[in-house]
């Protein structure tokens, strides 16, 4: 049961055609997810973390977006070879998503219970009455007080935290095997964030749901995840088990990121470490390593050739896409 | 009367927004108490952080201080002078001394103005009114030097805001706020719209500028780690009230108000080993509506340590230690009535 790979993403490439040129939003991304585990995908805005996960469910709108290469293997089957009809049975039932902004993701003119019940009626063929009862159960499960009455409310009558709970109820209604949470707490206050993260943690533990947690907040990653992929300019630059990433980061970008966040558990006052410059424009990614113009340790080769993902300490799940590890690669 | 060290003195500030009903004949049916009896001081040279969750009134407080928001009650003294009692002309002169850095570097800059002009604009306005005497040439030079100082090449002076990244735009916003040589900067979430790697650049810049120009900051943010890094003293707000003020280090080591404690414990640390060991205080429910009239403590509905008394009367801010004030009955003197 343990270590069973449930989802595998291989060589994923997604691009968007815009007036100014082709944006390579996701550039050769591979990772795998094990049953019952939580994988974090961290990166700054525009690093491709959301597009990666939308691509998994083929939710990229064409045009302008297009998945140009790669495969997504869910329980041994390549999702990209399936028909739209077949993918629809996977979405919501086996793999579901929680989006960042709970206000725009809910339909404002449809009652809350009806929106939760939609997936139940579609995937499980439940009748209206039965689906409503199940929806109310779900609202209770996620901690909405007076669930019977609140089920008949519209989304605007709910607070931001409650709306995000509703999104979670919808995502969990069909007991999915994978939950993709795309910045689920970014729009929320910290005390509400703590409630929502606790909820996701407990539910995934109880039902051994695998979770992909997309976030820019390294604190959330430390709290929630078993392993992490760090993305930069559409590529995975480092992957590691949670502790390795925080205590032994191998890519200069990860190291810089960890050093540059102010932390409440450390005394303030001293200057923060900074990463100079800004993330590259994805239309015009510099040749070689995308992080090279901002990297303190850039070498000659970095601006010429893009580094492959080097395996660190012989552990295939621990990689860094950085030429600094080239020697290690040769030895191991 | 005023202590020379006190730059800004806010006394019992309230800002209520009326809730109106009716189309032709509007009548007031209630009020949103965005800020409800807030008092604090900001000393010369310090950075006071105002933290709290969305809707707690921290930005409204800043706008009221900047005289950009009508005050319902209370007084704001800047260097001992009551800002509300000033004529528009006097206020304009005084405004040179307190400037704002806004949260959103996208909507706070006029997209049709060039970066150099955006920074020079306050200087031009004040020169035109004869408040400062600078020639156009001097203004341009000053704007260029401000750009350089804020980490923007002055060769970018002819570019428009959309040609800059978010972090660079925030640098323009900062240079613009510095143009008139203010003593106090009201920084309203200056880094929350920025990416992590850019955030640290801007925070370092603000810190350097504080030393260089002897600036005093009222720093508003919801990110506790950012506030702790930047500020020497912190005031925690909840539902229009200040519930605790303390030295930054003291507050983080030893928060006293149950809300401050919950707030701090809710922040996830980027340290997985400690994170696994931490016990988190999870507050129940949501922040209540600020329009409801309440007689007790604003935090009573969500407080894990609520007592009967908390629902009946509102606790006042009380000194519990040097530089440490808390509004909570847990720390009231045993005699019961601590007033």
């Amino acid at each position: 049961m343990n270590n069973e790979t449930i989802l595998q993403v291989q060589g994923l490439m997604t691009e968007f055609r815009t007036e100014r040129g082709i944006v390579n939003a996701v550039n050769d991304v591979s990772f795998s997810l094990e049953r019952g585990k939580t994988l974090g995908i961290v990166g700054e805005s525009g690093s491709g973390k959301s597009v990666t996960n939308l691509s998994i469910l083929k939710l990229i709108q064409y045009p302008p977006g297009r998945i140009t290469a790669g495969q997504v293997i869910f329980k041994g089957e390549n999702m990209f070879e399936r028909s739209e009809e077949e993918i629809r049975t996977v979405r919501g039932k086996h793999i579901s998503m929680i989006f960042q902004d709970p206000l725009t993701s809910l339909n404002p003119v449809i009652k809350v219970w009806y929106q939760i019940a939609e997936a139940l009626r579609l995937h499980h063929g439940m009748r209206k009455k039965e689906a409503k009862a199940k929806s109310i159960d779900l609202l209770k499960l996620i901690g909405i007080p007076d669930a019977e009455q609140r089920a008949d409310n519209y989304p605007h009558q709910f607070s931001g935290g409650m709306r995000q709970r509703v999104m979670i109820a919808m995502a969990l209604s069909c007991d999915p095997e994978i939950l993709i949470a795309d910045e689920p707490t970014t729009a929320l206050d910290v005390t509400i964030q703590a409630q929502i993260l606790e909820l996701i943690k407990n539910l995934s533990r109880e039902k051994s749901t695998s979770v992909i947690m997309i976030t820019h907040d390294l604190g959330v990653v430390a709290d929630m995840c078993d392993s992490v992929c760090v993305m930069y300019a559409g590529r995975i630059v480092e992957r590691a088990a949670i502790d390795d990433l925080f205590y032994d980061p191998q890519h200069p970008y990860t190291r810089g990121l960890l050093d540059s966040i102010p932390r409440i558990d450390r005394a303030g006052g001293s200057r923060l470490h900074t990463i100079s410059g800004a993330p590259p424009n994805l239309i015009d990614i510099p040749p070689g390593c995308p992080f090279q113009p901002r990297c303190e340790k850039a070498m000659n080769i970095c601006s010429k050739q893009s580094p492959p993902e080097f395996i660190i300490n012989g552990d295939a799940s621990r990689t860094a896409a950085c030429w600094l590890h080239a020697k290690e690669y040769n030895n191991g | 009367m005023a202590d020379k060290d006190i730059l800004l003195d806010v006394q019992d500030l309230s800002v209520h927004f009326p809730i109106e009903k009716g189309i032709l004949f509007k009548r007031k049916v209630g009020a949103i108490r965005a800020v409800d009896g807030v008092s604090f001081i900001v000393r010369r040279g310090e950075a006071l952080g105002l933290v709290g969750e969305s809707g707690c009134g921290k930005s409204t407080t800043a706008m009221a201080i900047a005289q950009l928001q009508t005050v319902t009650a209370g007084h704001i003294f800047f260097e001992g002078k009551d800002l509300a009692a000033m004529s528009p002309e006097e206020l304009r002169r005084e405004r040179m001394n307190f400037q704002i850095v806004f949260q959103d570097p996208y909507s706070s800059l006029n997209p049709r103005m060039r970066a150099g002009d955006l920074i020079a604009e306050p200087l031009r306005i004040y020169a035109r009114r004869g408040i400062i005497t600078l020639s156009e040439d001097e203004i341009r030079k000053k704007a260029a030097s401000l750009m350089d100082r804020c980490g923007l090449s002055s060769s970018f002076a002819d570019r428009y805001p959309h040609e800059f990244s978010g972090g660079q735009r925030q640098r323009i916003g900062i240079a613009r706020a510095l143009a008139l040589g203010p003593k106090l900067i009201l920084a309203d979430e200056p880094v929350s719209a920025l990416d992590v790697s850019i955030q640290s650049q801007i925070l370092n810049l603000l810190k350097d500028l504080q030393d260089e120009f002897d600036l005093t900051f009222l720093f508003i943010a919801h990110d506790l780690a950012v506030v702790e890094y930047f500020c020497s003293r912190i005031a925690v707000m909840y539902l229009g009230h200040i519930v605790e003020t303390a030295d930054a280090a003291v507050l983080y080591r030893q928060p006293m108000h149950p809300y401050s404690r919950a707030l701090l414990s809710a922040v996830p640390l980027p340290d997985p080993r400690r994170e696994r060991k931490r016990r988190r205080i999870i507050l129940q429910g949501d922040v209540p509506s600020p329009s409801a009239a309440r007689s007790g403590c604003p935090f009573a509905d969500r407080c894990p340590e609520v007592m009967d008394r908390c629902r009946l009367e509102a606790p006042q801010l009380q000194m519990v230690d040097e530089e440490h004030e808390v509004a909570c009955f847990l720390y009231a003197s045993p005699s019961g009535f601590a007033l």
Side-chain angles (χ1 to χ4, degrees), chain A residues 252-294:
Chain A
Y253 174 64
T254 317
R255 214 171 294 155
L257 212 54
L258 283 167
D259 286 344
S260 61
I261 35 177
R263 296 171 52 159
I264 59 167
D265 54 336
R266 286 195 189 148
S270 56
R271 284 178 65 87
L272 289 170
H273 176 88
T274 60
I275 304 175
S276 61
N281 180 347
L282 292 176
I283 293 174
D284 186 23
I285 297 178
C289 170
F291 185 59
Q292 160 265 323
R294 305 176 74 189

Side-chain angles (χ1 to χ4, degrees), chain A residues 103-121:
Chain A
L103 184 55
T104 52
S105 315
L106 291 170
N107 189 328
V109 295
I110 294 178
K111 285 179 181 171
V112 165
W113 77 263
Y114 197 90
Q115 300 195 46
I116 301 173
E118 205 176 353
L120 292 167
R121 293 171 72 187

Side-chain angles (χ1 to χ4, degrees), chain B residues 30-166:
Chain B
I32 293 173
R33 298 152 190 275
V35 180
D36 209 7
V38 159
S39 306
F40 60 89
I41 54 164
V42 183
R43 293 197 191 88
R44 227 174 268 278
E46 79 170 346
L48 175 72
L50 211 49
V51 292
E53 299 180 277
S54 44
C56 73
K58 51 193 194 304
S59 290
T60 309
T61 304
M63 292 306 123
I65 292 167
Q67 301 294 305
L68 296 174
Q69 174 64 56
T70 319
V71 168
T72 310
H75 294 280
I76 296 155
F77 296 96
F78 185 80
E79 296 192 302
K81 292 165 282 185
D82 188 346
L83 291 180
M86 285 182 182
S87 71
E89 194 50 41
E90 283 173 314
L91 184 62
R92 196 179 332 266
R93 277 171 192 278
E94 205 55 47
R95 253 214 185 105
M96 292 177 73
N97 294 324
F98 52 93
Q99 294 281 313
I100 313 175
V101 174
F102 293 98
Q103 170 174 10
D104 184 354
Y106 293 84
S107 60
S108 58
L109 298 177
N110 184 341
R112 289 159 176 269
M113 282 175 78
R114 296 170 197 272
D117 293 331
L118 281 164
I119 297 166
E121 192 186 21
L123 293 166
R124 291 204 177 113
I125 291 171
Y126 274 74
R128 203 183 307 136
R129 291 188 170 263
I131 299 172
I132 54 173
T133 42
L134 280 178
S135 69
E136 178 58 28
D137 219 34
E138 286 169 314
I139 288 175
R140 250 188 235 140
K141 260 191 208 134
K142 178 143 197 213
S145 85
L146 278 165
M147 279 186 90
D148 279 329
R149 186 57 204 87
C150 291
L152 290 163
S153 160
S154 46
S155 61
F156 292 167
D158 287 335
R159 294 199 186 176
Y160 289 96
H162 75 266
E163 294 174 82
F164 292 97
S165 68

Side-chain angles (χ1 to χ4, degrees), chain A residues 44-45 159 189 191-192 195 219 222-223 243 246-247 260-262 265-266 270-275 277 294, chain B residues 53-54 195-197 200-201 204 208 225 228-229 252 263 268-276 280 283 285-286:
Chain A
E44 299 179 272
S45 44
S159 69
D189 282 317
T191 59
I192 309 295
Q195 294 173 358
D223 182 19
D243 285 17
F246 281 89
Y247 305 122
S260 61
I261 35 177
D265 54 336
R266 286 195 189 148
S270 56
R271 284 178 65 87
L272 289 170
H273 176 88
T274 60
I275 304 175
R294 305 176 74 189
Chain B
E53 299 180 277
S54 44
D195 265 323
V196 185
S197 72
S200 57
Q201 295 174 3
N204 277 344
D208 292 345
E228 127 90 348
Y229 167 73
Y252 283 91
L263 195 63
L269 297 175
D271 186 340
R273 279 181 204 145
R274 285 186 52 187
E275 199 55 37
R276 263 170 244 143
R280 192 156 280 162
L283 289 178
D286 291 307

Side-chain angles (χ1 to χ4, degrees), chain A residues 3 22 25 57-58 66 84 86 96 106 116 122 151 156 159 166 177 192 200 214 269 274 289 296 309 321 324:
Chain A
N3 292 344
I22 293 172
L57 286 175
K58 269 182 101 172
R66 207 158 66 94
E84 185 57 29
E86 285 170 316
S96 58
L106 291 170
I116 301 173
L122 180 74
H156 76 268
S159 69
V166 171
E177 283 153 280
I192 309 295
I200 295 177
I214 305 169
T274 60
C289 170
E296 287 173 347
E309 290 188 37
L324 287 172

Side-chain angles (χ1 to χ4, degrees), chain B residues 282-293:
Chain B
I282 307 267
L283 289 178
Q284 298 305 310
D286 291 307
V287 180
S289 157
S291 58

